[in-house]
């Protein structure tokens, strides 16, 4: 007799096979209650937005280095995560400023499919 744990494991294996054979299934199967980062409402010129990304990247690198050196600090870990999120937001803002929704969707689909094929996801 198969127990509930075995049934669950079988379902997970079948889902993995479906996802591996159909990259778009990942968007249907994968649901998360994890919060998402949003782009800012500010619309800068391309040059200014790239400078903002560079600024956030520099701040992230410093925070990451501080966290790496003093690994036990919860505050430094949080700060590194915060700066990473700030960097992501500046990149999202770039995408929302200079690419249409359709273009962003195509880019996201392309990058996700590429990463699935490379087995990063």
């Amino acid at each position: 007799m198969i127990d509930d744990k075995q049934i669950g494991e079988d379902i997970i294996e079948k889902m993995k096979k479906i996802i591996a054979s159909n990259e778009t299934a990942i968007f249907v199967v994968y649901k998360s209650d994890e919060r998402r980062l949003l782009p800012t409402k500010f619309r800068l010129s391309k040059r200014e937005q790239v400078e903002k990304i560079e600024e956030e990247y520099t701040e992230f690198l410093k925070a990451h280095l501080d966290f790496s050196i003093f690994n036990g600090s919860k505050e430094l870990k949080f700060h590194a995560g915060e700066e990473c999120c700030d960097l992501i937001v500046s990149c999202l803002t770039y995408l929302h400023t200079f690419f249409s929704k359709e273009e962003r969707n195509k880019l996201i689909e392309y990058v996700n499919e590429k990463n699935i094929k490379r087995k990063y996801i």
Side-chain angles (χ1 to χ4, degrees):
M1 183 162 203
I2 299 176
D3 64 5
D4 288 344
K5 182 179 179 193
Q6 183 61 45
I7 292 171
E9 289 171 357
D10 289 346
I11 290 171
I12 289 171
E13 285 306 311
K14 287 178 183 173
M15 287 172 59
K16 286 180 182 177
K17 287 179 184 176
I18 290 168
I19 290 169
S21 65
N22 182 2
E23 289 91 3
T24 58
I26 195 167
F27 304 110
V28 176
V29 173
Y30 179 72
K31 297 283 185 186
S32 175
D33 62 350
E34 190 171 2
R35 296 203 181 263
R36 298 176 335 154
L37 292 170
L38 301 172
T40 66
K41 63 182 180 179
F42 306 111
R43 297 298 176 252
L44 305 172
S45 70
K46 283 184 184 176
R47 181 184 57 76
E48 291 171 320
Q49 191 61 46
V50 169
E51 287 173 354
K52 181 66 175 165
I53 291 169
E54 290 174 337
E55 173 189 324
E56 295 297 347
Y57 180 66
T58 300
E59 290 175 11
F60 165 70
L61 287 178
K62 181 182 180 324
H64 169 69
L65 183 61
D66 290 347
F67 173 54
S68 297
I69 292 171
F70 307 105
N71 200 13
S73 170
K74 288 182 182 180
E75 292 83 12
L76 290 176
K77 179 180 181 180
F78 184 87
H79 187 244
E82 174 190 9
E83 293 302 339
C84 183
C85 288
D86 287 346
L87 175 58
I88 293 167
V89 167
S90 64
C91 291
L92 283 172
T93 300
Y94 178 92
L95 289 172
H96 278 259
T97 302
F98 303 110
F99 295 83
S100 69
K101 184 176 181 178
E102 181 180 316
E103 290 170 323
R104 291 191 309 271
N105 285 336
K106 285 181 182 178
L107 283 166
I108 290 167
E109 183 176 350
Y110 173 80
V111 171
N112 282 336
E113 287 179 7
K114 175 179 72 173
N115 288 337
I116 288 167
K117 287 177 184 170
R118 292 177 178 175
K119 303 207 185 297
Y120 298 162
I121 297 176

